[in-house]
Amino acid sequence: MDKTIFETFIGLEIHIQLTTKTKIFCGCKNSFGDPPNTNICLGCIGYPGVLPVLNKEAVKKACLLCLAMNCKLNEKTFFERKNYFYPDLPNNYQLTQFELPFGVEGYVDTALPDGSIKRVRIHEAHLEEDAGKLMHEQNISMCDFNRAGTPLLEVVTKPDFKTGEEVEAFLLNFRRIIRYLGVSDGNMEEGSMRCDANVSINYIGKGLGRKVEIKNLNSSRHVRLAIHHEEQRQAKLIKAGETIVQETRLWNDDKKRTESMRSKEDANDYRYFPDTDIPPYIITKEFVSELNSMLVELPLTRRNRFISEYNLLLDSAEFLTEEKDKADYFEKACKEGADPQNAAAWIKGDVTKVLNREKMEILSSPLSIERFITLLDFVGKGKINGQTAKKVLDIIITENKNPEDIVRENDWEQVDDSGSLMPVVEKVLAENSTAVNQIKSGDMKPVGFLIGQVMKLSGGKADPKKVKDLVMERISAL
């Protein structure tokens, strides 16, 4: 698409399943991955006469996210019936919000790949029930109603995005926010966070074009690719003098293109009307005060603070604040005396590598803050070298042992006294006269080789800095 001629307008509809123990209008278990149709009741499958009861925890989590997105909370809200027929919707209507959603007129700031900060306006956030899940095998379709009634918060943005890259960055940031708050796990591959993109293009300065909704987007990458394809498709149609059809399209990842699904409905097609079985919900000052006490420092704010307070580089700060547990662990270690630079480097590198291999989370792993600080202290004071520290770290996590016990049992304490090291240094120099002569002639390349040989003979226990000093001292005396 020629960016000198056209401009793009993109808005998002993000659906997140809230992590409540039970469903939004009944007491059935809210759980992913259970056998089909095991977490259902008469209400889940649309039996007449079954009355819904609103889940207060779902309301709390929905409103907490609204506040985190700087939304205004409507003091009074109610649920409405959105009428349409589909096999996964047993009542033939969805309980949702239309006229007075929980949150309106908010914004979320996001760091873009170029380092700039983009403010995305939030139009509204409304709470509703999820539908069931259709499964297709050959010419047979089946429905699992376990998902029916799962608390679902739909967040609708203004058409503030200009590129697929901006959208991808926003979705990654939004996922961090909901995980920090604990309102959802945000796993797009499991469907607990789903996204539809409304895309329109027009000639520059002409305002919004006719929007096309893209569904079936189960990763931030797919969202970016679908938007790129849709921009090109619409631009080609406009250049050819054709009209953009307002419709819903699906993303076909195998063919890397969007495909027409159905014409786009308008709000009046759903015949919204208030549900008479659920009374209006009133947001009290006491409730808002409780929510404010539950808010946490969000990822972007924490990232910027890590950079200024701990003097971290941008990539380290972004890595540490990607998950709240990781950021909490880092800060606790720093408060207990760990050097921020060393702690960040170890967490970003070897700690994460071993934890990923063992499929462990940092806060629940055997690497307690105390053990981590002891390990860093051993390296800082020269008790063990870096290579030995990596082996100690591995044993701490895999065998749940204390670092001091590991070093003592394996006799890994670093040797740095000249009396013990000099005989080893002399042996290595005597066996590598060619390297010694190169160094004496001014070629310093073999120094590393000689240090390695000493380290090998010492079983890795020698202090590399001390070894280098002794090697150079002995060669200069020859």
Side-chain angles (χ1 to χ4, degrees), residues 302-321:
R302 202 170 195 184
R303 185 205 74 171
N304 293 338
R305 181 171 63 80
F306 276 18
I307 292 171
S308 60
E309 186 173 329
Y310 298 110
N311 199 29
L312 298 181
L313 295 176
L314 176 61
D315 63 333
S316 294
E318 286 187 335
F319 177 84
L320 291 171
T321 55

Side-chain angles (χ1 to χ4, degrees), residues 425-469:
V425 170
E426 289 179 341
K427 177 177 172 53
V428 169
L429 297 184
E431 294 175 351
N432 296 278
S433 57
T434 301
V436 172
N437 290 331
Q438 280 182 256
I439 295 170
K440 290 179 70 175
S441 66
D443 183 1
M444 306 304 291
K445 291 179 182 177
V447 172
F449 166 74
L450 294 176
I451 294 173
Q453 292 302 302
V454 175
M455 294 297 295
K456 184 178 180 181
L457 285 178
S458 71
K461 293 167 60 177
D463 179 353
K465 293 180 181 178
K466 187 67 175 179
V467 170
K468 182 178 180 181
D469 291 341

Side-chain angles (χ1 to χ4, degrees), residues 146-386:
N146 279 351
R147 196 175 72 180
T150 296
L152 198 67
L153 188 71
E154 180 174 351
V155 177
V156 183
T157 78
K158 296 280 190 178
D160 288 347
F161 301 98
K162 295 297 183 184
T163 67
E165 286 73 19
E166 288 183 358
V167 171
E168 185 173 32
F170 176 86
L171 288 175
L172 292 173
N173 180 50
F174 183 80
R175 181 177 180 271
R176 293 188 193 108
I177 290 173
I178 61 179
R179 288 169 68 91
Y180 261 60
L181 294 170
V183 300
S184 175
D185 58 30
N187 291 328
M188 293 189 77
E189 63 276 6
E190 293 182 359
S192 56
M193 175 173 157
R194 310 194 289 274
C195 177
D196 303 331
N198 295 306
V199 182
S200 71
I201 72 167
N202 209 344
Y203 290 106
I204 293 175
K206 296 295 184 179
L208 292 169
R210 183 167 291 175
K211 72 177 180 180
V212 171
E213 181 183 36
I214 312 173
K215 287 185 173 291
N216 195 33
L217 301 170
N218 59 7
S219 76
S220 58
R221 173 178 168 274
H222 286 169
V223 176
R224 170 171 53 82
L225 293 175
I227 289 170
H228 284 175
H229 175 270
E230 190 60 23
E231 286 179 310
Q232 300 292 340
R233 188 188 73 85
Q234 292 187 28
K236 192 178 294 185
L237 289 173
I238 292 174
K239 284 182 177 180
E242 298 183 38
T243 301
I244 304 296
V245 177
Q246 180 174 316
E247 62 180 339
T248 297
R249 298 178 71 86
L250 294 176
W251 171 245
N252 187 323
D253 191 51
D254 292 330
K255 297 180 179 179
K256 296 293 186 287
R257 71 185 188 192
T258 63
E259 298 174 344
S260 183
M261 178 186 177
R262 61 173 182 259
S263 61
K264 178 65 178 171
E265 302 89 348
D266 290 317
N268 56 5
D269 293 324
Y270 292 115
R271 296 182 294 115
Y272 286 94
F273 62 85
D275 185 90
T276 56
D277 293 330
I278 307 173
Y281 195 91
I282 308 299
I283 302 292
T284 64
K285 292 181 180 179
E286 292 76 17
F287 181 60
V288 174
S289 177
E290 181 186 358
L291 293 175
N292 282 323
S293 70
M294 296 168 61
L295 287 172
V296 298
E297 186 179 32
L298 297 180
L300 181 58
T301 304
R302 202 170 195 184
R303 185 205 74 171
N304 293 338
R305 181 171 63 80
F306 276 18
I307 292 171
S308 60
E309 186 173 329
Y310 298 110
N311 199 29
L312 298 181
L313 295 176
L314 176 61
D315 63 333
S316 294
E318 286 187 335
F319 177 84
L320 291 171
T321 55
E322 187 175 12
E323 298 288 345
K324 185 175 182 296
D325 284 356
K326 202 170 0 182
D328 288 346
Y329 186 92
F330 169 77
E331 286 224 90
K332 287 177 183 177
C334 291
K335 289 177 181 177
E336 293 295 325
D339 176 74
Q341 305 294 325
N342 288 337
W346 275 90
I347 294 171
K348 186 180 177 184
D350 292 281
V351 171
T352 296
K353 178 181 176 181
V354 178
L355 290 175
N356 287 345
R357 187 193 71 205
E358 299 298 321
K359 297 184 168 91
M360 292 182 182
E361 299 297 329
I362 193 166
L363 283 181
S364 57
S365 77
L367 186 65
S368 64
I369 297 292
E370 182 182 4
R371 286 173 169 176
F372 181 53
I373 292 173
T374 299
L375 182 65
L376 296 183
D377 192 51
F378 280 1
V379 178
K381 291 181 177 178
K383 189 170 184 178
I384 57 176
N385 58 46

Side-chain angles (χ1 to χ4, degrees), residues 99-117:
E99 185 177 341
L100 290 174
F102 276 112
V104 294
E105 298 177 17
Y107 66 86
V108 173
D109 289 334
T110 296
L112 299 182
D114 63 4
S116 63
I117 303 296

Side-chain angles (χ1 to χ4, degrees), residues 52 76-83 93-100 270-280:
K76 178 182 178 181
T77 184
F78 55 88
F79 285 86
E80 292 155 283
R81 295 184 181 184
K82 179 181 181 181
N83 296 273
Y93 62 80
Q94 180 189 35
L95 287 173
T96 183
Q97 296 177 305
F98 179 64
E99 185 177 341
L100 290 174
Y270 292 115
R271 296 182 294 115
Y272 286 94
F273 62 85
D275 185 90
T276 56
D277 293 330
I278 307 173

